[in-house]
Every structure is written in C-alpha cells, then in structure tokens.
Coordinates of all heavy atoms in Angstrom, one line a residue:
K20 N 88.8 113.8 80.9 CA 89.4 113.5 82.2 C 89.8 112.0 82.2 O 89.0 111.1 81.7 CB 88.5 113.8 83.3 CG 89.1 113.8 84.6 CD 88.1 114.2 85.7 CE 88.5 115.5 86.2 NZ 87.7 115.8 87.4
H21 N 90.9 111.7 82.8 CA 91.4 110.3 82.9 C 90.4 109.5 83.8 O 90.0 109.9 84.8 CB 92.8 110.3 83.5 CG 93.5 109.1 83.3 ND1 93.4 108.0 84.2 CD2 94.3 108.6 82.3 CE1 94.1 107.0 83.8 NE2 94.7 107.4 82.6
R22 N 90.2 108.3 83.4 CA 89.3 107.4 84.1 C 89.7 107.2 85.6 O 88.8 107.2 86.5 CB 89.2 106.1 83.4 CG 88.2 105.1 84.0 CD 86.8 105.5 83.6 NE 85.9 105.1 84.6 CZ 84.8 105.7 85.0 NH1 84.5 106.8 84.4 NH2 84.1 105.3 86.0
L23 N 91.0 107.0 85.8 CA 91.4 106.8 87.2 C 91.1 108.0 88.1 O 90.7 107.8 89.2 CB 92.9 106.5 87.2 CG 93.3 105.2 86.5 CD1 94.9 105.0 86.6 CD2 92.7 104.0 87.2
A24 N 91.2 109.2 87.5 CA 90.9 110.4 88.3 C 89.4 110.4 88.7 O 89.0 110.7 89.8 CB 91.3 111.6 87.6
L25 N 88.6 110.0 87.7 CA 87.1 109.9 88.0 C 86.8 108.9 89.1 O 86.0 109.1 90.0 CB 86.4 109.6 86.7 CG 86.4 110.7 85.7 CD1 85.7 110.2 84.4 CD2 85.7 112.0 86.2
D26 N 87.5 107.8 89.0 CA 87.3 106.7 90.0 C 87.8 107.2 91.4 O 87.1 107.0 92.4 CB 88.1 105.5 89.7 CG 87.5 104.8 88.4 OD1 86.4 105.0 88.1 OD2 88.3 103.9 87.9
R27 N 88.9 107.9 91.5 CA 89.4 108.4 92.7 C 88.4 109.5 93.3 O 88.1 109.4 94.5 CB 90.8 109.1 92.6 CG 92.0 108.2 92.5 CD 93.3 108.9 92.7 NE 93.4 110.2 92.0 CZ 93.8 110.3 90.7 NH1 94.2 109.2 90.0 NH2 93.9 111.5 90.1
H28 N 87.9 110.3 92.4 CA 87.0 111.4 92.9 C 85.7 110.7 93.5 O 85.2 111.2 94.5 CB 86.6 112.3 91.8 CG 87.8 113.2 91.4 ND1 87.7 114.2 90.4 CD2 89.1 113.2 91.8 CE1 88.8 114.8 90.3 NE2 89.7 114.2 91.1
A29 N 85.2 109.7 92.8 CA 84.1 109.0 93.3 C 84.4 108.3 94.7 O 83.5 108.4 95.6 CB 83.6 107.9 92.4
E30 N 85.5 107.8 94.8 CA 85.9 107.1 96.1 C 86.1 108.2 97.2 O 85.7 108.0 98.3 CB 87.2 106.3 95.9 CG 87.7 105.6 97.2 CD 86.7 104.5 97.7 OE1 85.7 104.2 97.0 OE2 87.0 104.0 98.8
L31 N 86.7 109.3 96.8 CA 86.9 110.4 97.8 C 85.5 110.9 98.3 O 85.3 111.1 99.5 CB 87.6 111.6 97.2 CG 89.1 111.4 97.0 CD1 89.7 112.4 96.1 CD2 89.8 111.4 98.3
R32 N 84.6 111.1 97.4 CA 83.2 111.5 97.8 C 82.6 110.5 98.7 O 81.9 110.8 99.7 CB 82.3 111.7 96.5 CG 82.7 113.0 95.8 CD 81.9 113.0 94.5 NE 82.2 114.1 93.6 CZ 81.7 115.3 93.6 NH1 80.7 115.5 94.5 NH2 82.1 116.2 92.7
R33 N 82.7 109.2 98.4 CA 82.1 108.2 99.2 C 82.7 108.2 100.6 O 82.0 108.1 101.6 CB 82.4 106.8 98.5 CG 81.6 105.6 99.3 CD 82.0 104.3 98.7 NE 83.4 103.9 99.0 CZ 83.9 103.6 100.3 NH1 83.0 103.5 101.3 NH2 85.1 103.3 100.5
L34 N 84.0 108.3 100.7 CA 84.7 108.3 102.0 C 84.3 109.5 102.8 O 84.0 109.4 104.0 CB 86.2 108.2 101.8 CG 86.8 106.9 101.3 CD1 88.3 107.1 100.9 CD2 86.7 105.8 102.4
L35 N 84.2 110.6 102.2 CA 83.8 111.8 102.9 C 82.4 111.7 103.4 O 82.0 112.1 104.5 CB 83.9 113.1 102.0 CG 85.4 113.6 102.0 CD1 85.5 114.6 100.8 CD2 85.7 114.3 103.3
A36 N 81.5 111.2 102.6 CA 80.1 111.0 103.0 C 80.0 110.1 104.2 O 79.2 110.3 105.1 CB 79.3 110.5 101.8
E37 N 80.8 109.0 104.2 CA 80.8 108.0 105.3 C 81.4 108.6 106.5 O 80.9 108.4 107.6 CB 81.4 106.7 104.9 CG 80.7 105.9 103.9 CD 81.4 104.6 103.5 OE1 82.5 104.4 104.0 OE2 80.9 103.9 102.6
E38 N 82.6 109.2 106.4 CA 83.4 109.5 107.5 C 83.3 111.0 108.0 O 83.7 111.3 109.1 CB 84.9 109.1 107.3 CG 85.0 107.6 107.0 CD 86.4 107.2 106.7 OE1 87.4 107.9 106.9 OE2 86.5 106.1 106.1
G39 N 82.9 111.9 107.1 CA 82.8 113.3 107.4 C 84.1 114.1 107.2 O 84.1 115.2 106.8
S40 N 85.2 113.4 107.5 CA 86.5 114.1 107.3 C 87.5 113.0 106.9 O 87.4 111.9 107.3 CB 87.0 114.9 108.5 OG 87.2 114.0 109.6
V41 N 88.6 113.4 106.2 CA 89.6 112.5 105.8 C 91.0 113.2 105.8 O 91.0 114.4 105.7 CB 89.4 111.9 104.4 CG1 88.2 111.0 104.4 CG2 89.2 113.1 103.4
A42 N 92.0 112.5 106.1 CA 93.4 113.0 106.1 C 94.1 112.7 104.8 O 93.9 111.6 104.2 CB 94.2 112.4 107.3
V43 N 94.9 113.6 104.3 CA 95.6 113.4 103.0 C 96.5 112.1 103.1 O 96.4 111.3 102.2 CB 96.5 114.6 102.7 CG1 97.5 114.3 101.5 CG2 95.6 115.8 102.4
A44 N 97.2 111.9 104.2 CA 98.1 110.8 104.3 C 97.3 109.5 104.2 O 97.7 108.5 103.5 CB 98.9 110.8 105.5
E45 N 96.2 109.4 104.9 CA 95.4 108.2 104.9 C 94.8 108.0 103.5 O 94.7 106.8 103.0 CB 94.3 108.3 105.9 CG 93.3 107.2 106.0 CD 93.9 105.9 106.4 OE1 95.0 105.9 107.1 OE2 93.4 104.8 106.0
L46 N 94.3 109.0 102.9 CA 93.8 108.9 101.5 C 94.8 108.4 100.6 O 94.5 107.5 99.7 CB 93.2 110.2 101.0 CG 91.9 110.7 101.7 CD1 91.6 112.1 101.2 CD2 90.8 109.8 101.3
A47 N 96.0 108.9 100.6 CA 97.1 108.4 99.8 C 97.3 106.9 99.9 O 97.5 106.2 98.9 CB 98.4 109.2 100.0
K48 N 97.3 106.4 101.1 CA 97.5 105.0 101.3 C 96.3 104.2 100.8 O 96.5 103.2 100.1 CB 97.6 104.7 102.8 CG 98.9 105.1 103.4 CD 99.0 104.9 104.9 CE 100.2 105.5 105.6 NZ 100.1 105.4 107.0
R49 N 95.1 104.7 101.1 CA 93.9 103.9 100.7 C 93.7 103.9 99.2 O 93.2 102.9 98.6 CB 92.7 104.5 101.4 CG 92.6 104.2 102.8 CD 91.5 105.0 103.5 NE 90.3 104.2 103.5 CZ 89.3 104.5 104.3 NH1 89.3 105.5 105.2 NH2 88.2 103.7 104.3
L50 N 94.1 105.0 98.5 CA 93.9 105.1 97.1 C 95.2 104.7 96.3 O 95.2 104.6 95.1 CB 93.6 106.5 96.7 CG 92.3 107.1 97.3 CD1 92.1 108.5 97.0 CD2 91.1 106.3 96.8
D51 N 96.3 104.4 97.0 CA 97.5 104.0 96.4 C 98.0 105.0 95.4 O 98.4 104.7 94.3 CB 97.4 102.6 95.8 CG 98.7 102.0 95.5 OD1 99.7 102.3 96.2 OD2 98.8 101.2 94.5
V52 N 98.0 106.3 95.9 CA 98.6 107.4 95.1 C 99.4 108.2 96.0 O 99.4 108.1 97.2 CB 97.5 108.2 94.4 CG1 96.7 107.4 93.4 CG2 96.5 108.8 95.4
S53 N 100.1 109.2 95.4 CA 100.9 110.1 96.2 C 100.1 111.1 96.9 O 98.9 111.4 96.5 CB 101.9 110.9 95.3 OG 101.2 111.8 94.5
E54 N 100.6 111.7 97.9 CA 99.9 112.8 98.7 C 99.6 114.0 97.8 O 98.6 114.6 97.9 CB 100.7 113.2 99.9 CG 100.6 112.1 101.0 CD 101.2 112.5 102.3 OE1 101.4 113.7 102.5 OE2 101.5 111.6 103.2
M55 N 100.5 114.2 96.8 CA 100.3 115.4 95.9 C 99.1 115.1 95.0 O 98.4 116.0 94.7 CB 101.6 115.6 95.1 CG 101.5 116.8 94.2 SD 101.1 118.3 95.0 CE 102.7 118.8 95.6
T56 N 99.0 113.9 94.6 CA 97.8 113.5 93.8 C 96.5 113.7 94.6 O 95.5 114.3 94.1 CB 97.9 112.1 93.3 OG1 99.0 112.0 92.4 CG2 96.6 111.6 92.5
V57 N 96.5 113.3 95.8 CA 95.4 113.5 96.7 C 95.1 115.0 96.8 O 93.9 115.4 96.7 CB 95.6 112.9 98.1 CG1 94.5 113.3 99.0 CG2 95.6 111.3 97.9
R58 N 96.1 115.8 97.0 CA 95.9 117.2 97.2 C 95.3 117.9 95.9 O 94.4 118.7 96.0 CB 97.2 117.9 97.6 CG 97.6 117.7 99.0 CD 98.9 118.5 99.4 NE 99.4 118.0 100.6 CZ 100.4 117.2 100.7 NH1 101.1 116.8 99.6 NH2 100.9 116.8 101.9
R59 N 95.8 117.4 94.8 CA 95.2 117.9 93.5 C 93.7 117.6 93.4 O 92.9 118.4 93.0 CB 96.0 117.4 92.3 CG 97.2 118.2 92.0 CD 97.8 117.8 90.7 NE 98.2 116.4 90.6 CZ 99.4 115.9 90.8 NH1 100.4 116.7 91.2 NH2 99.6 114.6 90.7
D60 N 93.4 116.3 93.7 CA 92.0 115.8 93.7 C 91.2 116.6 94.6 O 90.1 117.0 94.3 CB 91.9 114.3 94.0 CG 92.5 113.4 92.9 OD1 92.7 113.9 91.8 OD2 92.7 112.2 93.2
L61 N 91.7 116.9 95.8 CA 90.9 117.6 96.8 C 90.7 119.0 96.4 O 89.6 119.6 96.6 CB 91.6 117.6 98.2 CG 91.7 116.2 98.9 CD1 92.4 116.4 100.2 CD2 90.3 115.6 99.1
R62 N 91.7 119.6 95.8 CA 91.5 121.0 95.3 C 90.4 121.1 94.2 O 89.6 122.0 94.2 CB 92.9 121.5 94.7 CG 92.9 123.0 94.4 CD 94.3 123.5 94.1 NE 95.2 122.6 93.5 CZ 96.3 122.0 94.1 NH1 96.5 122.3 95.3 NH2 97.1 121.2 93.4
E63 N 90.4 120.1 93.3 CA 89.4 120.0 92.2 C 88.0 119.8 92.8 O 87.1 120.5 92.4 CB 89.8 118.9 91.2 CG 88.8 119.0 90.1 CD 89.2 118.0 88.9 OE1 90.4 117.7 88.9 OE2 88.4 117.6 88.2
L64 N 87.9 118.9 93.8 CA 86.6 118.7 94.4 C 86.1 119.9 95.2 O 84.9 120.1 95.3 CB 86.6 117.4 95.2 CG 86.8 116.1 94.4 CD1 87.0 114.9 95.3 CD2 85.5 115.9 93.6
E65 N 87.1 120.6 95.8 CA 86.7 121.8 96.5 C 86.1 122.8 95.6 O 85.1 123.5 95.9 CB 87.9 122.3 97.3 CG 87.5 123.6 98.1 CD 88.7 124.1 98.8 OE1 89.8 124.2 98.2 OE2 88.6 124.5 100.0
G66 N 86.7 122.9 94.4 CA 86.2 123.8 93.4 C 84.8 123.5 92.9 O 84.0 124.4 92.5
Q67 N 84.4 122.2 93.0 CA 83.1 121.8 92.7 C 82.1 121.9 93.8 O 80.9 121.6 93.7 CB 83.1 120.3 92.2 CG 84.0 120.1 91.0 CD 84.2 118.6 90.7 OE1 83.5 117.7 91.2 NE2 85.1 118.3 89.7
G68 N 82.6 122.3 95.0 CA 81.8 122.5 96.2 C 81.5 121.2 96.9 O 80.6 121.1 97.8
A69 N 82.2 120.1 96.6 CA 82.0 118.8 97.2 C 82.6 118.7 98.6 O 82.2 117.8 99.4 CB 82.5 117.7 96.3
L70 N 83.6 119.5 98.9 CA 84.3 119.4 100.2 C 84.9 120.7 100.5 O 85.0 121.7 99.7 CB 85.3 118.3 100.1 CG 86.4 118.4 99.0 CD1 87.6 119.3 99.4 CD2 86.9 117.0 98.7
A71 N 85.4 120.8 101.7 CA 86.2 122.0 102.2 C 87.6 121.4 102.6 O 87.7 120.5 103.4 CB 85.6 122.7 103.3
R72 N 88.7 122.0 102.0 CA 90.0 121.5 102.5 C 90.3 122.2 103.8 O 90.0 123.3 104.0 CB 91.0 121.9 101.4 CG 90.9 121.1 100.1 CD 92.0 121.3 99.1 NE 92.0 122.7 98.8 CZ 93.1 123.4 98.4 NH1 94.3 122.7 98.5 NH2 93.1 124.6 98.1
V73 N 91.0 121.4 104.6 CA 91.4 121.9 105.9 C 92.9 121.4 106.0 O 93.4 120.6 105.2 CB 90.6 121.3 107.1 CG1 89.2 121.8 107.1 CG2 90.6 119.8 107.1
H74 N 93.6 121.9 107.0 CA 95.0 121.6 107.2 C 95.1 120.0 107.3 O 94.6 119.4 108.2 CB 95.6 122.3 108.4 CG 97.0 122.0 108.6 ND1 98.0 122.5 107.8 CD2 97.7 121.1 109.5 CE1 99.2 122.1 108.2 NE2 99.0 121.2 109.2
G75 N 95.8 119.4 106.4 CA 96.1 118.0 106.4 C 95.0 117.1 105.9 O 95.1 115.9 105.9
G76 N 93.9 117.7 105.3 CA 92.9 116.8 104.8 C 91.7 117.6 104.3 O 91.9 118.7 103.7
A77 N 90.5 117.0 104.5 CA 89.3 117.7 104.0 C 88.1 117.2 104.8 O 88.1 116.2 105.5 CB 89.0 117.3 102.5
V78 N 87.1 118.1 104.8 CA 85.8 117.7 105.4 C 84.7 117.8 104.4 O 84.8 118.5 103.4 CB 85.5 118.7 106.6 CG1 86.5 118.5 107.7 CG2 85.4 120.1 106.1
A79 N 83.7 117.0 104.6 CA 82.6 116.9 103.6 C 81.9 118.3 103.5 O 81.8 119.0 104.4 CB 81.6 115.9 104.1
G80 N 81.6 118.6 102.2 CA 80.8 119.8 101.9 C 79.4 119.6 102.4 O 79.0 118.5 102.8
M81 N 78.7 120.7 102.5 CA 77.3 120.7 103.0 C 76.4 119.7 102.3 O 75.7 118.9 103.0 CB 76.7 122.1 102.9 CG 75.3 122.2 103.6 SD 75.4 121.8 105.4 CE 76.1 123.4 105.9
A82 N 76.5 119.6 101.0 CA 75.7 118.6 100.3 C 75.9 117.2 100.7 O 75.0 116.4 100.9 CB 75.9 118.8 98.8
L83 N 77.2 116.8 100.9 CA 77.5 115.5 101.3 C 77.1 115.2 102.7 O 76.5 114.1 103.0 CB 79.1 115.2 101.2 CG 79.6 115.0 99.8 CD1 81.2 114.9 99.9 CD2 79.1 113.7 99.2
R84 N 77.3 116.1 103.6 CA 76.8 115.9 105.0 C 75.3 115.8 105.0 O 74.8 114.9 105.7 CB 77.3 117.1 105.8 CG 78.8 117.1 106.1 CD 79.2 118.0 107.2 NE 78.8 119.4 106.9 CZ 79.7 120.3 106.6 NH1 81.0 120.0 106.5 NH2 79.3 121.5 106.3
F85 N 74.6 116.6 104.3 CA 73.2 116.6 104.3 C 72.6 115.3 103.7 O 71.8 114.6 104.3 CB 72.6 117.8 103.6 CG 71.1 117.9 103.6 CD1 70.4 118.1 104.8 CD2 70.3 117.6 102.5 CE1 69.0 118.2 104.9 CE2 68.9 117.7 102.5 CZ 68.3 118.0 103.7
G86 N 73.2 114.9 102.6 CA 72.8 113.7 101.9 C 73.1 112.5 102.8 O 72.3 111.5 102.8
N87 N 74.2 112.5 103.5 CA 74.5 111.4 104.4 C 73.5 111.3 105.5 O 73.0 110.2 105.9 CB 75.9 111.5 104.9 CG 76.4 110.3 105.6 OD1 76.1 109.2 105.2 ND2 77.2 110.5 106.7
R88 N 73.0 112.4 106.1 CA 72.1 112.4 107.1 C 70.7 111.9 106.6 O 70.0 111.2 107.4 CB 71.9 113.8 107.7 CG 72.9 114.2 108.7 CD 72.5 115.3 109.6 NE 71.6 116.3 109.0 CZ 72.0 117.5 108.6 NH1 73.3 117.8 108.6 NH2 71.2 118.3 108.0
L89 N 70.4 112.2 105.4 CA 69.1 111.7 104.9 C 69.1 110.2 104.8 O 68.0 109.6 105.0 CB 68.9 112.3 103.5 CG 68.5 113.8 103.4 CD1 68.4 114.2 101.9 CD2 67.2 114.0 104.1
G90 N 70.2 109.6 104.5 CA 70.2 108.2 104.4 C 70.2 107.4 105.7 O 70.0 106.2 105.7
R91 N 70.5 108.0 106.8 CA 70.6 107.4 108.1 C 69.2 106.9 108.5 O 68.2 107.7 108.4 CB 71.2 108.3 109.1 CG 72.7 108.4 109.0 CD 73.2 109.1 110.2 NE 74.5 109.6 109.9 CZ 75.0 110.7 110.3 NH1 74.3 111.5 111.1 NH2 76.2 111.1 109.9
H92 N 69.1 105.7 109.0 CA 67.9 105.2 109.6 C 66.7 105.3 108.7 O 65.6 105.5 109.0 CB 67.6 106.0 110.9 CG 68.7 106.1 111.9 ND1 69.2 105.0 112.5 CD2 69.5 107.2 112.2 CE1 70.2 105.4 113.3 NE2 70.4 106.7 113.1
R93 N 67.0 105.1 107.4 CA 66.0 105.1 106.4 C 64.8 104.2 106.6 O 63.7 104.5 106.5 CB 66.6 104.9 105.0 CG 65.7 105.0 103.8 CD 66.4 105.0 102.5 NE 67.2 106.2 102.5 CZ 68.1 106.5 101.5 NH1 68.1 105.6 100.5 NH2 68.8 107.5 101.5
R94 N 65.2 102.9 107.0 CA 64.1 101.9 107.2 C 63.2 102.3 108.4 O 62.0 102.2 108.3 CB 64.8 100.6 107.5 CG 63.8 99.4 107.6 CD 64.5 98.1 107.8 NE 65.4 97.8 106.7 CZ 66.6 97.2 106.8 NH1 67.0 96.8 108.0 NH2 67.4 97.0 105.8
E95 N 63.8 102.8 109.5 CA 63.1 103.2 110.6 C 62.2 104.4 110.3 O 61.0 104.5 110.7 CB 64.0 103.6 111.8 CG 64.7 102.4 112.4 CD 66.1 102.2 111.7 OE1 66.3 102.7 110.6 OE2 66.9 101.5 112.2
K96 N 62.7 105.4 109.5 CA 61.9 106.5 109.1 C 60.7 106.1 108.3 O 59.6 106.6 108.5 CB 62.7 107.5 108.3 CG 63.8 108.2 109.2 CD 64.7 109.1 108.4 CE 65.8 109.7 109.2 NZ 66.7 110.6 108.4
R97 N 60.9 105.2 107.3 CA 59.8 104.7 106.5 C 58.7 104.0 107.3 O 57.5 104.2 107.1 CB 60.3 103.8 105.4 CG 61.0 104.6 104.3 CD 61.3 103.7 103.1 NE 62.0 104.4 102.1 CZ 62.9 103.9 101.3 NH1 63.3 102.7 101.4 NH2 63.5 104.7 100.4
A98 N 59.2 103.2 108.3 CA 58.3 102.5 109.1 C 57.4 103.4 110.0 O 56.2 103.3 110.1 CB 59.0 101.5 110.0
A99 N 58.1 104.5 110.5 CA 57.4 105.5 111.3 C 56.4 106.2 110.5 O 55.2 106.5 110.9 CB 58.4 106.4 111.9
A100 N 56.7 106.5 109.2 CA 55.8 107.3 108.3 C 54.6 106.4 107.9 O 53.6 107.0 107.7 CB 56.6 107.8 107.1
A101 N 54.8 105.1 107.8 CA 53.8 104.2 107.4 C 52.8 104.0 108.5 O 51.6 103.6 108.2 CB 54.3 102.9 106.9
S102 N 53.2 104.2 109.7 CA 52.3 103.9 110.9 C 51.4 105.0 111.3 O 51.3 106.1 110.7 CB 53.0 103.4 112.1 OG 54.0 104.3 112.5

C-alpha cells in the first residue's frame, strides 16, 4: 500500500476519534486530496470496521468511540482510583 494512503488513513482515524463524525468535503480540504480519494479511503476503512459511512461523510466505528471515551479524564480517573 502506498505510504500516503497509510498516512491519510491514520489521520482519518485520529479525526474520527476526536470529532466522532467527519464530512467528505472537510476531509478533502484538510488532507489536500480530492473528495473521490476521501470516499475511497472511507470505503476501505469501513471494510476494516473503523467507521460507518453516512451521507456526506462518516461516523466513528464502535471501537474508535469506545477507545476515545476510555481516554477522557484519564488523570482524574487515576486520581480517584488511587484514593
């Protein structure tokens, strides 16, 4: 697989984990690629279970949403567990 595609996929996963949902047009601008390239990337990542495509974009798959929740308030959770 081409290195740039791997980099885009990593960035798409990061954005989805942070934002929960993304729009194709916005992704195309942020990644400096065509909307068709974004759609192909989203289709591939959907096949891997990383996301669900929706009209005009994508939403984070269950694993990304769950992983993102685990990372929230990590310092506070550790402090509470230690006390």
Side-chain angles (χ1 to χ4, degrees):
K20 190 181 251 191
H21 196 272
R22 184 78 211 147
L23 293 177
L25 293 174
D26 292 343
R27 283 196 315 273
H28 291 185
E30 181 67 5
L31 286 167
R32 288 174 186 269
R33 186 189 68 74
L34 289 168
L35 277 167
E37 286 179 4
E38 299 177 20
S40 65
V41 291
V43 169
E45 177 64 23
L46 287 172
K48 288 178 190 173
R49 289 171 90 164
L50 299 172
D51 195 28
V52 295
S53 71
E54 289 187 14
M55 184 56 82
T56 296
V57 170
R58 287 188 193 97
R59 279 192 299 268
D60 289 346
L61 294 178
R62 190 170 31 253
E63 185 170 338
L64 290 171
E65 182 180 44
Q67 297 171 11
L70 57 84
R72 290 185 302 147
V73 296
H74 182 75
V78 294
M81 188 60 79
L83 282 176
R84 288 194 299 254
F85 183 69
N87 192 35
R88 278 202 325 262
L89 285 177
R91 285 192 199 143
H92 310 291
R93 185 171 294 177
R94 186 176 303 142
E95 293 90 342
K96 290 176 184 178
R97 285 187 181 148
S102 57

